[in-house]
Amino acid sequence: MTDFQYFGGSVLEMKPNRSTVGRNCATDIGNTGESGPARGEMRLISRAAAILRALADHGDGLSLGKIATETGLVRATVQRIVGALEAEGFVTTNPLTPGVSLGAELARIAGSAHRDVISMCRPHMKILNKHVNDTIDLTILQGSTAVVVEQIHAPHTLKVVTHVGTPLPLHCTASGKAHLSRLSVEQCKTLLTMPLRNYTSQTLSDANAVIASLHSTPEDFIFRDVEEYSEGVCAIAAPIRGIITGNYALSILQTRQRYDAQSGDAERLLLECRDAIERAAGL
């Protein structure tokens, strides 16, 4: 068995996330006692939060029109708020990928909320990276996506790399499946209600079939993505169990060639690393 060192660290208890704002987010914010400009500022913050939550629930990004539909806001209001959020780095637009997505600054702030967990996991991720020579991701379930909160890059030139802050779909990525495995069937159905996108010819886009495959396997099962999300790219993942601050998963990203050559060893090393992290957390 590979010798993974233990790394002590505390687990910060956080309050649960608020539920997604509904379509009536444009209404006033209760009876706060504020009036005039102060109330207007609070309403603006509420609208900006609704836009950010809508984007968090759609990892592929949304057009301005779709954001308006999701939030119940007027399109002109959405455009104005998105412009302000983009200036601060909270959202981003990419000419190669139509629509608006969450920005790097928001990912940086969100990452600070998980700093204790990341600090605890990082040394074990580095050891795993050294043994498998592939990219290692730590993700957390946020809304209906798996968001990368830490990553150790592979040392070689030909490698698979996402980026910290990248939202990944749940139904066709190894990390996403690992997150779903920690939820009840009803919770999975709630997260997989939207039409599931076919990213490649290998993508399973039937929600019931995805859920059935997750809940018919042992707790220590390795979850796989064999070219389901991207052609030529594979991944294996395992959920990190029992951390109270969130639903975390650990994954190894590989090219198809490396996946075929070393999947057995990589799976064993991944589980050993996950178990070491759980011991470090006192689980």
Side-chain angles (χ1 to χ4, degrees), residues 216-234:
S216 61
T217 55
E219 188 174 354
D220 271 342
F221 191 75
I222 291 287
F223 294 91
R224 298 177 178 82
D225 160 15
V226 184
E227 299 188 78
E228 296 175 46
Y229 181 48
S230 181
E231 298 286 351
V233 175
C234 300

Side-chain angles (χ1 to χ4, degrees), residues 88-91 102-115 118 142 147-150 163-166:
E88 297 296 333
F90 292 140
V91 302
L102 295 178
E105 179 63 12
L106 191 65
R108 185 188 69 81
I109 294 173
S112 67
H114 309 291
R115 192 170 293 148
I118 293 171
Q142 289 187 349
V147 177
V148 180
V149 293
E150 178 66 327
H163 299 282
V164 171
T166 299

Side-chain angles (χ1 to χ4, degrees), residues 23-74:
R23 291 174 57 84
N24 294 324
C25 69
T27 59
D28 289 347
I29 311 174
N31 295 318
T32 62
E34 302 287 352
S35 61
R39 180 176 288 276
E41 291 172 0
M42 294 177 66
R43 187 183 301 117
L44 179 61
I45 293 171
S46 176
R47 291 171 175 176
I51 291 172
L52 293 174
R53 291 191 182 101
L55 293 175
D57 287 339
H58 295 81
D60 296 331
L62 292 171
S63 67
L64 294 177
K66 288 183 177 179
I67 294 174
T69 300
E70 289 286 324
T71 59
L73 295 171
V74 177

Side-chain angles (χ1 to χ4, degrees), residues 174-191:
S175 294
K177 296 174 189 178
H179 290 304
L180 289 172
S181 73
R182 305 299 298 159
L183 305 178
S184 68
V185 171
E186 290 305 314
Q187 288 173 317
C188 289
K189 288 181 178 178
T190 298
L191 294 179

